[in-house]
Amino acid sequence: MVTFLPFKGYRPNIRAGEHVGDRISPPYDVIGEEYLKDLKSRPFNVTNLTLSPDADKRYRTSRATLDSWIESGALKQDSDSFYIYEQTFDDKGTQRVRTGIVGILKTEKYEEGNIIPHEETFSKVKADRLNLLRDMEAHLESIFGIYEGFTPELNRKIKDNARLAYRFVDDAGVEHKYYTLSDPEITSQVTEELKGQKMLIADGHHRYETALNYSLENPGNEKKGYVLTTLVAADDAGLVIWPTHRLVDTGNISEKNAVKGISKELKVQEVSLEEMEAGLKDHMMGLMFKSGLCMLADYDGEGMWKLDTYVAQEKILKGVYKSDEGKATVSYDAEYSSVKAAMAEKKHDLAIVLNDPSLQSIWDLSMAGKRMPKKTTFFFPKIWSGFVFYLMRRIRSGLPNPR
């Protein structure tokens, strides 16, 4: 059973001369160095909490900072509420709106079959996030999940009763709108309709698994059994999934031998760049080599072998380039235009260009217990942090923080 509840969130109390853009940020793992400096220069920006560890990689200073924000009134606390998060954005020339509902999700083991992962994770990242939870006793960033959907009646009630709290347009042109939803009849109906549904983790596997581990460290503490979560319906018109292309660098295999090895594993045909771009949708993947050679490639298989990222990982990256043995470095880029520009400048030995992932395929494989390779999906746009926090403790002054 999925347990999704409203909570008494702490959110920015915007003052004169300030804007919500001073408080929020993209997820910590996608912020460039210069942008991070700019964000951290703003005294109440969320990055001063999430990316401000003490010398021993702990977050005790961040905890004191968060408490001071609450005590000074820089953050204010709501009554039990859900939050509605709308993002309006351009998707390759088409304007879309993605709508999520933000609340707290009860963590449980994947084996129970209600919370479904779809990608593998890195243990190193989880260790750092676990320290953040231990020290802060607060969820500062949301995971992103997909649920089946609400009834039309409930969707109408949510739309009619949500109250706009913040509006912000980021540098990429994405408009963020954040609403509060506190009507107890509606919040109860949200919780009730979600009980019989499954939830697929779209983004934030590390944060979810960290939250689960944290809850297991604190048996009997109900507050610490929940994680801040944004849920988007599977049929939402703004639910866009981009592929994450692979970029390969190696000094251990020549292009000639790489082409020979790939040709033994996959069905390939040499094409021009223009032909690769035009024909990609009808093939599993495109290949762009440093020399300018382009190919379209296919592989016949069932189950995971129908998934382009799995074939790329097993047959090309591991099989040909021996990336798992440290003989090649793999990087990732969800923007095809930047991949194309990088290859035109001969910055990488190979680019593996992928098609948009199918949500249905991801859902079906995940429900069958299959885990996709890392970076199989890129859900655009990213969920930003800082609009609301979930505290699992009392602050120093003793202000109550129910649930």
Side-chain angles (χ1 to χ4, degrees), residues 21 31 66 116 127 139 145 163 182-183 199 221 230 239 256 262 272 291 304 315 334 351 387:
I31 305 172
L66 175 60
I116 314 296
H139 284 285
R163 298 292 177 259
S182 56
D183 184 297
M199 195 280 284
N221 189 320
T230 303
L239 189 58
K256 179 180 178 181
I262 293 171
S272 67
S291 68
M304 290 291 285
K315 294 297 183 180
F387 284 111

Side-chain angles (χ1 to χ4, degrees), residues 69-320:
W69 292 2
I70 294 172
E71 291 169 346
S72 69
L75 296 175
K76 58 185 175 182
Q77 189 178 27
D78 291 317
S79 59
D80 271 328
S81 302
F82 285 120
Y83 301 86
I84 307 303
Y85 185 12
E86 276 187 2
Q87 291 168 289
T88 302
F89 60 99
D90 178 80
D91 174 37
K92 302 170 186 176
T94 300
Q95 187 180 74
R96 301 188 187 276
V97 180
R98 187 180 70 195
T99 304
I101 183 166
V102 184
I104 54 173
L105 174 75
K106 186 174 179 59
T107 59
E108 58 181 58
K109 295 180 179 179
Y110 294 143
E111 290 79 9
E112 296 187 35
N114 299 307
I115 310 298
I116 314 296
H118 84 271
E119 284 188 348
E120 299 167 345
T121 55
F122 300 92
S123 59
K124 181 179 179 181
V125 177
K126 286 184 282 187
D128 177 64
R129 295 296 95 179
L130 185 55
N131 281 341
L132 177 67
L133 277 184
R134 286 168 174 163
D135 291 335
M136 300 292 288
E137 295 184 89
H139 284 285
L140 310 175
E141 298 186 297
S142 172
I143 71 165
F144 175 14
I146 298 173
Y147 69 105
E148 295 167 53
F150 294 136
T151 61
E153 177 192 15
L154 180 53
N155 281 327
R156 179 185 56 76
K157 287 181 180 179
I158 291 172
K159 183 176 182 180
D160 290 346
N161 287 274
R163 298 292 177 259
L164 182 65
Y166 310 113
R167 177 186 178 275
F168 171 71
V169 179
D170 66 32
D171 290 343
V174 178
E175 180 186 54
H176 306 254
K177 287 184 177 180
Y178 223 77
Y179 301 78
T180 59
L181 180 70
S182 56
D183 184 297
E185 178 184 342
I186 300 172
T187 59
S188 295
Q189 191 174 346
V190 167
T191 298
E192 190 62 32
E193 287 200 9
L194 279 166
K195 282 183 179 178
Q197 301 191 32
K198 307 283 187 185
M199 195 280 284
L200 177 72
I201 300 176
D203 202 1
H205 289 78
H206 295 102
R207 286 190 287 280
Y208 180 80
E209 291 171 18
T210 299
L212 174 61
N213 291 336
Y214 182 67
S215 71
L216 296 175
E217 288 183 356
N218 294 275
N221 189 320
E222 184 183 5
K223 296 178 190 176
K224 295 182 178 181
Y226 288 81
V227 59
L228 186 63
T229 302
T230 303
L231 295 180
V232 175
D235 62 353
D236 189 283
L239 189 58
V240 170
I241 314 175
W242 289 355
T244 307
H245 312 294
R246 276 65 174 145
L247 299 165
V248 183
D249 294 283
T250 182
N252 293 286
I253 183 171
S254 67
E255 182 173 302
K256 179 180 178 181
N257 287 334
V259 170
K260 184 177 179 181
I262 293 171
S263 299
K264 286 182 179 179
E265 298 289 346
L266 284 78
K267 297 178 182 177
V268 300
Q269 55 178 299
E270 185 175 340
V271 293
S272 67
L273 173 61
E274 293 74 20
E275 289 171 331
M276 188 205 76
E277 292 174 335
L280 181 62
K281 65 182 184 299
D282 298 317
H283 295 270
M284 179 173 275
M285 67 185 72
L287 305 174
M288 302 168 65
F289 292 89
K290 181 180 284 187
S291 68
L293 173 67
C294 292
M295 292 180 165
L296 287 167
D298 293 283
Y299 185 84
D300 292 328
E302 296 299 323
M304 290 291 285
W305 292 106
K306 295 175 71 175
L307 187 67
D308 53 8
T309 52
Y310 188 72
V311 172
Q313 173 181 279
E314 298 299 317
K315 294 297 183 180
I316 300 178
L317 301 178
K318 292 182 179 179
V320 174

